Amino acid sequence: MRDYWLSKLFFDLQSPALAAEFRAERDKVLARYPLDERVKQALAENDAPFLAARTNAYLLRYYFFTLGMKDEEFIRRLNHG
Amino acid sequence: MASLVGAFAASHGPLIVREWDAVPQNEKSRMSTAFRELGRRLSAAQPDVLIVVSPDHWSNFFLDNYPAVCIGVGGENEGPPEPWMKAFPHRTIAGHPGLAMHLAREAMRQGFEPALSHRLKLDHGICIPLWRMELERLPKIVPLLLNSIEPPMPSLRRCFEWGGLLRKSIESYAEPLRVAILATGGLSHSIGEPTMGTILEDFDRETIRLFNRPHDELVHFLEAKLPASGNGSEEVRNWLVAHGAAGGRGFELVDYLPVPKVIVGCGFASWRV
């Protein structure tokens, strides 16, 4: 299953300018995307398994890389939530 | 007429650049030697044009429209958009519209129907091998972006057939161009999945072995094993294109080594064309 707007957010965050804005004013950026409340919650909680079920795995990895999360932590979250 | 003068493959994982300093010296040395050896062979083949077969890592395409295959037919393409590829020495890369459009027309005529783009961003999938091969002169690049990122993907058999189509099309191009093919990506790796970091060395070695067997055996093996071998391993499709172009005659393995720091089973190959 693909959540289009979640995927679009991750795709757009490949832009360094948007990524910087997202890190500084996350809610402002999120407001531009019609995301489900449960998806917003998963983003807030870095709930990798929930997000993984709704987007492409490469986009998910880019997103957590953009957040500055180390791969070890990302893999731990993918496996254990 | 144009001719196919070489077919090669190399891995392209982003961590080959981003984590390079953390790679153990002996692995770094083997990878550098393998990339340079491919560069030496490619240069020796004196290609005017290099067709690079690679996936688009969400640099050009999104869910709005993600083509199974896209040929870059423009006179110029852009260098890699990834911020960590800033040091790549080319911001723009010349294409070869004449050959690219000929490939596209021949593909359509044969019922293959690729998408076309007149300007692409050539991401790390294309540019890491070009960079690491340390080419003195960059040939004109015709990108062939093949989806191995977002399911469903072109069948393995179709990828092999794409190779045969490329060869026939090259050989029917009127200008006396020397054309080489570079397939990038693979071998085993897993990106953004719970298995991320896993390298399946046995799978890689069997895949490599089967590239020197009749192609039906290789395709049959991959059809059975690929779905459970990590999403990055799907990039072996690009190798199948090179294999098809070389008539399935098998390759010389330049090197293979699993590199945990770059989370990829790194393979380097040179086909007998």
Side-chain angles (χ1 to χ4, degrees), chain A residues 2 4 11 14 56 65 79, chain B residues 18 57-58 64 149-150 194:
Chain A
R2 294 286 180 257
Y4 178 86
F11 177 79
Q14 292 181 96
N56 176 275
F65 175 68
N79 282 286
Chain B
R18 278 173 28 209
H57 299 86
W58 301 105
D64 303 82
I149 299 290
E150 174 69 2

Side-chain angles (χ1 to χ4, degrees), chain A residues 15-63:
Chain A
S15 148
L18 186 66
E21 189 186 354
F22 185 76
R23 283 190 290 267
E25 295 182 276
R26 190 178 172 126
D27 288 344
K28 192 175 151 195
V29 173
L30 286 179
R32 294 175 204 151
Y33 295 82
L35 297 167
D36 225 61
E37 283 311 311
R38 181 64 188 91
V39 171
K40 282 186 197 165
Q41 189 189 335
L43 288 168
E45 294 169 355
N46 290 334
D47 185 344
F50 181 91
L51 298 170
R54 286 157 179 78
T55 193
N56 176 275
Y58 285 79
L59 287 173
L60 184 71
R61 199 263 184 115
Y62 293 157
Y63 171 69

Side-chain angles (χ1 to χ4, degrees), chain B:
Chain B
M1 302 301 261
S3 56
L4 179 69
V5 296
F8 309 92
S11 297
H12 69 219
L15 300 185
I16 291 173
V17 170
R18 278 173 28 209
E19 290 294 321
W20 186 246
D21 291 342
V23 175
Q25 189 53 47
N26 62 324
E27 293 172 2
K28 225 189 299 202
S29 169
R30 276 180 66 184
M31 278 199 284
S32 296
T33 301
F35 272 123
R36 278 199 296 265
E37 175 59 15
L38 286 188
R40 187 192 68 73
R41 292 181 191 211
L42 179 63
S43 298
Q46 298 181 298
D48 302 299
V49 183
L50 180 63
I51 299 170
V52 187
V53 187
S54 180
D56 178 66
H57 299 86
W58 301 105
S59 297
N60 295 280
F61 309 128
F62 181 59
L63 298 177
D64 303 82
N65 187 356
Y66 200 113
V69 177
C70 177
I71 299 177
V73 296
E76 186 180 87
N77 290 295
E78 293 171 32
E82 298 95 331
W84 45 271
M85 285 291 288
K86 247 187 242 163
F88 179 71
H90 306 277
R91 284 296 98 200
T92 58
I93 298 170
H96 196 292
L99 177 67
M101 282 304 283
H102 174 73
L103 298 178
R105 281 192 204 99
E106 285 302 301
M108 298 292 184
R109 214 166 58 81
Q110 302 289 334
F112 279 67
E113 295 145 357
L116 306 184
S117 170
H118 287 257
R119 193 170 180 91
L120 288 165
K121 298 179 190 82
L122 307 188
D123 68 26
H124 72 273
I126 289 179
C127 293
I128 285 179
L130 293 179
W131 194 7
R132 290 299 196 237
M133 286 194 293
E134 300 179 6
L135 303 172
E136 273 183 29
R137 184 188 66 85
L138 202 59
K140 292 181 173 175
I141 302 293
V142 171
L144 191 146
L145 300 181
L146 193 154
N147 176 22
S148 53
I149 299 290
E150 174 69 2
M153 300 164 192
S155 75
L156 298 160
R157 209 164 289 280
R158 189 62 160 174
C159 295
F160 181 81
E161 289 166 358
W162 257 104
L165 171 78
L166 287 183
R167 185 179 194 133
K168 275 190 208 149
S169 304
I170 290 164
E171 290 174 348
S172 67
Y173 188 60
E175 204 181 320
L177 288 180
R178 298 175 65 81
V179 182
I181 295 175
L182 172 66
T184 86
L187 291 166
S188 70
H189 59 294
S190 170
I191 301 296
E193 304 177 305
T195 50
M196 183 162 148
T198 303
I199 298 171
L200 301 173
E201 189 173 347
D202 290 348
F203 166 81
D204 288 341
R205 293 200 182 278
E206 183 62 0
T207 300
I208 289 165
R209 187 184 75 80
L210 290 172
F211 266 105
N212 283 294
R213 300 286 301 153
H215 79 270
D216 274 348
E217 278 184 45
L218 171 65
V219 168
H220 185 71
F221 169 77
L222 289 173
E223 281 173 348
K225 299 291 183 187
L226 206 48
S229 300
N231 56 353
S233 311
E234 302 281 0
E235 290 171 343
V236 75
R237 281 176 168 73
N238 306 325
W239 291 49
L240 279 167
V241 175
H243 193 49
R249 278 189 294 278
F251 59 52
E252 181 189 340
L253 182 67
V254 172
D255 204 354
Y256 167 79
L257 64 158
V259 185
K261 275 289 174 195
V262 304
I263 62 172
V264 175
C266 293
F268 307 87
S270 172
W271 272 264
R272 297 177 270 276
V273 297

